Amino acid sequence: MPPSEPPPLPALTRAEAELVDRYLEVLDLVGRINPARPGDTYRGLRAAQALVASAGALRDALALMHQRGEHEVHAPTLERALRVLDGERRAARVALPPDSDI
């Protein structure tokens, strides 16, 4: 039996797609910086350096949406897009890991 295909992305404007992509990029970087996760300081340093540019790109995506008259964020549609793009797993890396033995 072939693996099931992921659900299709919802229809997004280019600006919305850019917003989702940049948001996930920032999430990935913050997840690499998370001091509650194991890893080396160099990896966190590189992620923190890249975060500056990624945050600027996220800001630019939101500014473009606003300039184009897209003043409302259509959360249900963008939520579906984030779920299709594995946003839940990526966002979980930003959170604290489960309590071990405090």
Side-chain angles (χ1 to χ4, degrees):
M1 184 166 145
S4 63
E5 290 189 28
L9 277 172
L12 303 173
T13 67
R14 278 194 176 148
E16 286 174 328
E18 185 71 13
L19 170 64
V20 168
D21 287 344
R22 299 296 69 87
Y23 176 76
L24 290 172
E25 185 178 296
V26 166
L27 269 181
D28 289 340
L29 291 169
V30 173
R32 284 190 225 154
I33 298 167
N34 187 347
R37 300 266 176 203
D40 58 72
T41 56
Y42 187 69
R43 182 185 68 179
L45 172 62
R46 297 289 302 202
Q49 290 169 335
L51 184 59
V52 175
S54 295
L58 177 59
R59 177 205 57 222
D60 294 345
L62 284 162
L64 181 61
M65 285 180 70
H66 187 73
Q67 290 168 357
R68 289 183 176 177
E70 297 179 47
H71 299 294
E72 295 292 324
V73 173
H74 300 284
T77 302
L78 297 178
E79 177 188 347
R80 281 197 331 268
L82 289 168
R83 288 185 192 286
V84 169
L85 295 170
D86 204 19
E88 284 181 301
R89 179 190 60 79
R90 295 161 86 172
R93 294 187 65 212
V94 175
L96 290 173
D99 189 8
S100 55
D101 281 311
I102 295 181

